Amino acid sequence: PSGEIQVQVGPQVFIYSRRGTYPGWDSALWPELDSAIDHLFTTSPNLDVTRLGLRYINALRSDVHGISGIDDIALNLEVASKSVTKNLNCNFGSRVGTDFETMTRVATVDLAQGIIPENTSVIVDIDVYTSSAYRANSANSIKEWAIAAHDFEKESFFEILGDVATERLRED
C-alpha cells in the first residue's frame, strides 16, 4: 500500500513489482522498467527469455471512480437468462497477435482477497503475457514487447470500464 518497489531475482525469474497508487506509465513506471531491463541485461547479457508478463490490478471505488458495482462497468454476464451483478468472479482470456495473451479477471469485493481499499466495489485484474512460443534475447526486444503489452492492457481496461465510466473519469 505504501507504493514500495519490490524486485525479486532467481535462477529463472526476474520480477519487478510496484504496489500502491499507480504512479503513471510515462512519468514513473516505464522509466523504472526501462532501467531495470537495461541493468538485467548488463549483468546477465546472455539471457534467453521465454516468458514475460505485465499485470495491472485496479480497485474500482465508488468515491473515486463512481463505480458502485458490476452494473457500472461494461461487463454483461447472464446465466439462464438472468444477469449476474453480485457475488461475481469472472475470468476470461484472449489472444492478441502471436506474442500476446491476456487473462482478465473481474470480481466483486466479496470474492476478492488481499489489501482492498475502502469503498472498493469491483476489482479488475488484467494480465498480459507472452504466448508459449515467445523467445527474446535482447533488452530492446523485451522493451518493445513491454510497450505493446502496456497498450493492450490499457485497451482491455478501458473496454471493461466502458465509455460512460471512462468519460466520467476524464471529466474529473
Side-chain angles (χ1 to χ4, degrees), residues 10-25:
Q12 296 188 354
V13 67
F14 174 83
I15 299 171
Y16 186 93
S17 177
R18 197 168 220 293
R19 307 210 181 246
T21 302
Y22 181 58
W25 178 258

Side-chain angles (χ1 to χ4, degrees), residues 29-77:
L29 191 55
W30 174 244
E32 292 169 5
L33 284 175
D34 184 50
S35 177
I37 293 165
D38 283 341
H39 184 73
L40 181 63
F41 273 86
T42 298
T43 58
S44 301
N46 297 320
L47 290 176
D48 182 31
V49 177
T50 58
R51 187 183 190 286
L52 296 170
L54 187 65
R55 190 170 179 190
Y56 176 70
I57 302 171
N58 197 329
L60 299 175
R61 298 170 37 185
S62 56
D63 59 334
V64 174
H65 306 105
I67 306 294
S68 297
I70 297 299
D71 287 336
D72 293 330
I73 63 173
L75 178 69
N76 300 310
L77 179 64

Side-chain angles (χ1 to χ4, degrees), residues 76-84:
N76 300 310
L77 179 64
E78 287 188 3
V79 176
S81 300
K82 294 181 183 177
S83 290
V84 178

